[in-house]
Amino acid sequence: MHRASMIRLVSLSMALSSLLLSACSPSTSSSTAQDNPIAQLDLKQLPNAEWRLSRAVIEVSFCRDRTNEALLASESELNGWRLTGDVSAFPPYREEGLKALYEVIGEQPFILYQVDGSVSASRYRLAMPASKSAGAVAEQVFPAVATLAGSERVCLSAVDEGATY
């Protein structure tokens, strides 16, 4: 009887350990990342062989401080998070900001790639597949700003053509 109790205790202990370890391991999938091209691209260091970035930087300020705060990140923080290549490296509230950004731009031929963000606004470069010419990327900057400006959720959208971020 003592042996049977010991076996049950060991089995229970192993089951609890397994449960705890699975709860602590990073999530490999995120509903936002799976459905949202901005969130998917957010995990990568750009530019790379697959993606071009615009030279111009687009500044976006959402009318709700909460969204701006969700996108709050310095350039070094973004680079550090992206170097891991794991969605769990990003703060959990970031998904809310990426979701809001995706809802504003919808299905456009470009994706916004964040270069930094403050409490009042975030800055992005336009990202497009490398198969597009640099001219095609540049041509999409002002349509992107117009799309952002047309949203009731965005209070400010502007372009800095000479940005060196």
Side-chain angles (χ1 to χ4, degrees):
M1 197 125 122
H2 183 31
R3 181 178 161 103
S5 296
M6 194 62 126
I7 291 173
R8 281 191 212 126
L9 182 60
V10 169
S11 296
L12 181 60
S13 176
M14 289 176 58
L16 284 173
S17 295
S18 175
L19 180 65
L20 287 173
L21 286 174
S22 66
C24 293
S25 54
S27 172
T28 55
S29 67
S30 165
S31 60
T32 300
Q34 289 176 350
D35 301 335
N36 182 342
I38 295 173
Q40 292 171 7
L41 198 60
D42 200 41
L43 296 172
K44 298 180 170 119
Q45 291 284 332
L46 296 185
N48 62 25
E50 298 174 24
W51 293 93
R52 290 186 183 273
L53 291 178
S54 65
R55 190 172 145 237
V57 172
I58 299 171
E59 186 172 13
V60 179
S61 178
F62 283 86
C63 299
R64 294 183 53 216
D65 290 337
R66 181 178 167 115
T67 304
N68 291 327
E69 287 178 25
L71 294 167
L72 177 69
S74 69
E75 182 179 10
S76 62
E77 285 175 318
L78 287 164
N79 286 335
W81 296 336
R82 289 172 176 148
L83 282 173
T84 68
D86 183 2
V87 72
S88 67
F90 288 88
Y93 53 82
R94 184 162 177 79
E95 282 189 28
E96 181 181 340
L98 295 176
K99 181 180 177 193
L101 191 60
Y102 180 64
E103 288 172 357
V104 169
I105 68 162
E107 299 292 326
Q108 297 292 328
F110 55 81
I111 297 176
L112 295 178
Y113 183 75
Q114 188 175 8
V115 291
D116 77 359
S118 67
V119 176
S120 58
S122 296
R123 280 157 287 293
Y124 302 87
R125 291 191 187 270
L126 227 56
M128 293 184 77
S131 60
K132 303 286 184 186
S133 70
V137 177
E139 290 171 7
Q140 291 297 321
V141 170
F142 287 102
V145 172
T147 299
L148 292 162
S151 171
E152 292 179 3
R153 298 177 69 178
V154 174
C155 288
L156 167 80
S157 58
V159 177
D160 183 356
E161 289 283 347
T164 58
Y165 288 93

